[in-house]
């Protein structure tokens, strides 16, 4: 199963052939293993890489950054803090006006919860993020 290969064996899914690279619906993305909240659609942007990309996590304490030298280069791996799931990698080529970071995340590591389902799925505390600023 792709989710297991990605989250538990540090795999990478193919670009442009994954569930969320082109998802533009409002909502949050949670760890597919534990359900811990990781990213919001408000921080998602089109990086052109074919993977979901975010400028920052929903809560910095929900992600862990680790050094990764597996491909003969220095990269920063991103993992969920509770489930220790491999999520993807962090790069410094994101939008400059939003901090310059790009969390390049595998769709297989995520479950998307649309804003209209946040309350019923137990993530109601994130609803205010999506209310129109007056």
């Amino acid at each position: 199963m792709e989710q297991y290969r990605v989250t538990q064996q540090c795999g990478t899914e193919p670009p442009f052939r994954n569930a969320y690279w082109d998802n533009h619906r409002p909502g949050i993305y949670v760890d597919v293993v534990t359900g811990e909240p990781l990213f919001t659609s408000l921080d998602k942007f089109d990086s052109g890489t074919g993977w979901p990309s975010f400028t920052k996590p929903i809560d910095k304490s929900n992600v862990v950054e680790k050094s990764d030298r597996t491909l003969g280069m220095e990269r920063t791996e991103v993992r969920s803090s509770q489930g220790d799931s491999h999520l993807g990698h962090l790069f410094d080529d994101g939008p400059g006006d939003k901090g310059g970071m790009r969390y390049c995340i595998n769709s297989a590591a995520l479950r998307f919860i649309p804003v209209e389902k946040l309350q019923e799925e137990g993530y109601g505390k994130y609803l205010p993020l999506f209310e129109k600023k007056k």
Side-chain angles (χ1 to χ4, degrees):
M1 182 192 316
E2 184 79 345
Q3 293 170 327
Y4 182 84
R5 191 180 68 77
V6 167
T7 61
Q8 307 305 305
Q9 298 174 328
C10 300
T12 299
E13 66 197 1
F16 302 105
R17 295 199 322 262
N18 56 75
Y20 304 127
W21 77 272
D22 200 25
N23 182 30
H24 299 289
R25 294 174 60 200
I28 67 171
Y29 296 82
V30 302
D31 182 334
V32 72
V33 177
T34 64
E36 78 190 279
L38 299 170
F39 301 97
T40 79
S41 59
L42 302 169
D43 300 311
K44 189 173 186 283
F45 69 98
D46 182 2
S47 63
T49 62
W51 289 284
S53 296
F54 305 89
T55 55
K56 67 181 196 286
I58 197 167
D59 181 338
K60 194 83 166 134
S61 69
N62 289 357
V63 298
V64 175
E65 298 168 13
K66 292 185 170 181
S67 177
D68 175 6
R69 294 185 176 89
T70 54
L71 296 179
M73 61 179 119
E74 178 76 30
R75 298 188 300 171
T76 301
E77 180 190 15
V78 181
R79 300 185 72 87
S80 63
S81 56
Q82 290 174 22
D84 196 34
S85 296
H86 170 75
L87 303 174
H89 288 88
L90 177 61
F91 302 96
D92 62 3
D93 60 2
D97 62 334
K98 294 193 166 51
M101 301 312 287
R102 173 172 58 97
Y103 287 80
C104 187
I105 306 299
N106 290 284
S107 289
L110 303 173
R111 184 168 75 90
F112 177 70
I113 301 168
V115 71
E116 63 272 13
K117 296 224 187 249
L118 289 177
Q119 191 67 48
E120 71 183 73
E121 295 227 13
Y123 299 96
K125 76 177 196 175
Y126 298 104
L127 278 169
L129 296 174
F130 297 94
E131 292 172 2
K132 295 278 185 254
K133 306 286 186 247
K134 294 182 172 66

